[in-house]
Amino acid sequence: MSEGRGINACEESHDLGLSSFPEERQNIDIGQQIFCNSAVNMNSIVAVGFDMDYTLAQYKPETFESLAYYGTVEKLVRNLGYPKELLEWSFDWTYMVRGLVLDKKRGNILKMDRHKYVKIAYHGFRLLSKDEKVATYGNTFIKDAFDGPDYAHIDTFFSLAESYLFAQLVDYKDNNPGQISEVKDYSRIYADVRSAVDMCHRDGTLKEMVAKDPKKYINEDDTIIPMLKMLKSSGRTVFLVTNSLWDYTHVVMNFLIEARTINSSSSLSSNWLQYFDFVITGSAKPSFFHDKNRADLFAVETESGKLINTDNGTPLAQVGGPAAELPDQIPNKHYKVFQGGNVSHLHKLLNVGSSSQVLYVGDHIYGDILRSKKALGWRTMFIVPELEKEARILSSSSETRKKLKLLRGERDKIEDQVHHLKWSLEHEDMDNSEKEKLIAKLELLEGYRARVRAAHQEAQRSFHQQIMKAGFQNSRFAHQVERFACLYTSQVGNLGLYSPNKYYRPVENFMVHESNVLSL
């Protein structure tokens, strides 16, 4: 496999265009490539938007997720009455991966394939046996969609620490009867964890710590400015839509763009705004992407943080009356920083002819990608930092993958022979001597089948830590990426490695029968 192209890498355009790193365009490492599910012609893109948290600002898991974990534990103990010994617990930030599903009712953590079949299941940190897994999730007349209130999807980085804590609490409840109130079942425990997380966000605990020392919690990234300059120079409107409020957004963007911090000798600056045409804070995504969301749009005075009503007294809709129309033009258009509003406000600011002229880059499959593409028809780019690690595994595991393919083929062949022999023994007339020979052959084959199956399962186990794989199948997470992300890549700065006028094209898709024929 060539590193310059990679699996499902977008076809290279001959349009030279502008590029922040033109010398690197011809040999982009697989971990930095942009991958294409649905064609995106950048010549048709008028506006490019970004989320901030975990998109432009990549948080350090070893510090930020630990901060979230220990803050949540403290709230559980101090505010919700959990045992003080929880304060002595430790956190392994490498353990959880995105794409998992929590079964809140049973205290289980699941990894599913693209068809929503459970491939791996843990109760707390205990791996469920195949029999336990099948008995719980495979013996029903109606297939579970895993989307109801009894389940929680771990699709964001913010959810990893709470998932780990939930698993610890499940084990603690099982192993220490009476230490957690009997009225608190697994679902109640999960609700308490969520409440504790919300407390950390509401009282500003997390963001205050990050604001004091952003370098401790946020990765520095020198590819962001060249990428933003490239987009601006190419004539695109560049915007930022974040759920964070202005005060925190200002701190984070100062650190990312100018390495300024609250405690540095130089005060915070608004110079970073030169790289954006519009900034919308406090957007409350994903509801922001619904034009029926009647949230008011306020302009933000960047020096004071004061909010200014942009609707100039536009009347609210009366109960039972017609919906109030948004004004054709948003007053005070010289402001570039806003708070709240909805996508209709943003479209007016951007002055785009259609939603397909917008490319939005984010890290949240539901809050950023699914809603903006499915509800609006925006073009989307999904940021998957794990891709860099997955690409390295992919590059180093070619022999393991070949072995898996051979073992699967061998299993199929052996099982076909076993089934044929069993059928012959049950349905064909034969003398005792011939029957004994077939029985002996069957015993040999079944022993061989067991060894091949064990070898196959062992070889397959190394792929369970990848977010894009669940055994031999693509994972549920990968399926969502494929369905809703037009493009996906590991870091937002990778946009700067390609021409801003590039035509991203997907490679040809194959049905299984086509792949089998073409591989001959």
Side-chain angles (χ1 to χ4, degrees):
M1 181 182 66
S2 169
E3 274 204 351
R5 293 192 57 84
I7 292 178
N8 201 32
C10 298
E11 297 176 11
E12 188 63 54
S13 166
H14 294 292
D15 180 0
L16 295 178
L18 298 170
S19 180
S20 56
F21 301 103
E23 68 277 8
E24 296 186 29
R25 290 180 69 253
Q26 301 304 316
N27 188 28
I28 300 172
D29 182 82
I30 187 173
Q32 296 176 293
Q33 289 177 27
I34 294 175
F35 301 92
C36 181
N37 292 316
S38 179
V40 176
N41 184 356
M42 288 298 291
N43 277 320
S44 300
I45 299 298
V46 173
V48 180
F50 299 91
D51 178 37
M52 184 180 75
D53 298 311
Y54 280 112
T55 299
L56 289 171
Q58 285 296 325
Y59 291 88
K60 299 176 180 179
E62 65 273 23
T63 54
F64 183 76
E65 289 173 26
S66 294
L67 178 68
Y69 172 84
Y70 290 112
T72 303
V73 169
E74 186 167 347
K75 299 295 184 188
L76 284 172
V77 174
R78 310 293 185 206
N79 298 80
L80 297 174
Y82 278 73
K84 289 185 178 179
E85 63 184 278
L86 271 64
L87 297 171
E88 302 173 4
W89 286 2
S90 60
F91 172 55
D92 180 3
W93 60 270
T94 66
Y95 186 85
M96 293 290 178
V97 296
R98 288 195 293 169
L100 303 176
V101 174
L102 299 190
D103 182 340
K104 295 184 284 186
K105 184 177 179 180
R106 298 181 179 94
N108 295 344
I109 301 172
L110 317 175
K111 186 169 188 182
M112 292 182 287
D113 67 14
R114 66 194 304 267
H115 304 291
K116 292 188 177 180
Y117 287 109
V118 177
K119 290 295 185 179
I120 307 174
Y122 282 81
H123 179 74
F125 291 105
R126 180 179 68 84
L127 179 65
L128 297 186
S129 68
K130 181 180 179 181
D131 289 342
E132 289 177 303
K133 182 182 68 176
V134 171
T136 306
Y137 301 106
N139 278 344
T140 58
F141 289 106
I142 300 175
K143 188 174 184 295
D144 200 329
F146 299 99
D147 292 327
D150 289 335
Y151 299 98
H153 295 172
I154 309 306
D155 291 334
T156 70
F157 289 103
F158 288 114
S159 301
L160 298 181
E162 67 188 61
S163 306
Y164 189 87
L165 179 54
F166 177 64
Q168 286 180 304
L169 286 167
V170 168
D171 280 358
Y172 183 80
K173 178 177 175 62
D174 291 347
N175 298 327
N176 300 275
Q179 292 299 308
I180 294 179
S181 171
E182 292 300 323
V183 301
K184 291 183 183 288
D185 58 11
Y186 300 129
S187 293
R188 183 64 236 178
I189 289 173
Y190 178 79
D192 285 346
V193 171
R194 282 298 317 150
S195 295
V197 170
D198 290 342
M199 289 179 199
C200 291
H201 286 289
R202 283 200 307 270
D203 67 11
T205 301
L206 299 180
K207 291 188 175 181
E208 185 178 337
M209 293 296 291
V210 175
K212 285 180 180 178
D213 189 5
K215 189 172 184 177
K216 180 178 179 180
Y217 300 103
I218 302 174
N219 288 315
E220 296 177 82
D221 188 347
D222 58 6
T223 68
I224 291 177
I225 292 178
M227 180 270 296
L228 293 173
K229 283 183 176 179
M230 179 194 75
L231 291 174
K232 293 281 286 182
S233 299
S234 68
R236 269 63 174 202
T237 299
V238 179
F239 65 94
L240 176 68
V241 177
T242 174
N243 286 351
S244 295
L245 297 177
W246 166 249
D247 55 351
Y248 185 73
T249 301
H250 192 40
V251 169
V252 171
M253 294 308 297
N254 261 272
F255 173 73
L256 287 176
I257 302 299
E258 298 190 8
R260 293 174 184 261
T261 65
I262 292 176
N263 298 323
S264 64
S265 57
S266 54
S267 60
L268 297 182
S269 163
S270 294
N271 291 341
W272 65 270
L273 288 171
Q274 67 184 293
Y275 300 108
F276 297 90
D277 294 282
F278 300 105
V279 174
I280 294 183
T281 63
S283 61
K285 295 177 294 180
S287 63
F288 177 85
F289 294 122
H290 291 279
D291 56 9
K292 293 181 181 179
N293 167 26
R294 305 305 300 177
D296 292 328
L297 181 72
F298 295 90
V300 178
E301 283 191 348
T302 57
E303 293 299 319
S304 65
K306 179 181 177 182
L307 300 182
I308 301 166
N309 189 350
T310 62
D311 285 343
N312 286 342
T314 299
L316 295 175
Q318 299 299 305
V319 175
E325 294 292 329
L326 288 171
D328 290 334
Q329 297 294 326
I330 293 178
N332 303 321
K333 202 169 181 178
H334 60 280
Y335 288 104
K336 67 161 53 180
V337 180
F338 299 89
Q339 178 175 310
N342 64 31
V343 72
S344 294
H345 293 113
L346 178 60
H347 281 164
K348 287 181 171 65
L349 288 169
L350 299 177
N351 196 29
V352 292
S354 72
S355 57
S356 63
Q357 294 178 317
V358 180
L359 173 67
Y360 188 65
V361 186
D363 71 286
H364 194 314
I365 195 70
Y366 181 75
D368 292 324
I369 303 303
L370 186 153
R371 287 294 182 183
S372 59
K373 181 174 182 178
K374 196 172 180 180
L376 302 175
W378 281 7
R379 314 308 283 161
T380 55
M381 175 181 281
F382 187 42
I383 300 302
V384 191
E386 301 96 330
L387 267 181
E388 292 188 5
K389 178 182 177 182
E390 300 236 334
R392 290 195 298 270
I393 294 174
L394 192 65
S395 298
S396 62
S397 63
S398 58
E399 290 304 315
T400 302
R401 288 181 177 276
K402 289 177 184 176
K403 180 181 177 181
L404 272 171
K405 188 174 181 180
L406 290 172
L407 286 170
R408 283 180 68 84
E410 190 69 12
R411 281 184 70 178
D412 285 345
K413 187 190 300 182
I414 295 168
E415 286 172 358
D416 285 345
Q417 293 180 50
V418 168
H419 295 152
H420 178 73
L421 285 174
K422 285 183 175 180
W423 177 268
S424 297
L425 286 167
E426 291 175 8
H427 299 282
E428 292 182 10
D429 293 328
M430 60 186 74
D431 58 35
N432 288 336
S433 175
E434 190 175 359
K435 183 175 288 188
E436 288 175 1
K437 289 179 182 178
L438 287 182
I439 291 173
K441 187 176 181 180
L442 179 60
E443 289 175 350
L444 287 173
L445 280 173
E446 288 187 325
Y448 184 37
R449 178 175 65 172
R451 292 193 296 274
V452 171
R453 179 184 178 185
H456 179 257
Q457 290 176 338
E458 181 62 32
Q460 194 170 245
R461 191 168 289 120
S462 62
F463 295 104
H464 286 317
Q465 283 299 313
Q466 297 180 48
I467 64 168
M468 298 296 189
K469 286 293 179 185
F472 200 70
Q473 293 277 325
N474 284 347
S475 66
R476 167 189 158 274
F477 186 83
H479 184 53
Q480 290 179 318
V481 173
E482 190 175 28
R483 287 182 65 195
F484 301 116
C486 300
L487 308 171
Y488 64 101
T489 191
S490 61
Q491 302 290 337
V492 71
N494 296 342
L495 260 176
L497 302 178
Y498 294 82
S499 163
N501 299 321
K502 179 177 173 58
Y503 198 137
Y504 294 94
R505 298 181 177 91
V507 297
E508 183 180 359
N509 292 327
F510 294 107
M511 296 287 287
V512 175
H513 70 280
E514 294 175 306
S515 299
N516 289 343
V517 171
L518 293 171
S519 64
L520 294 176

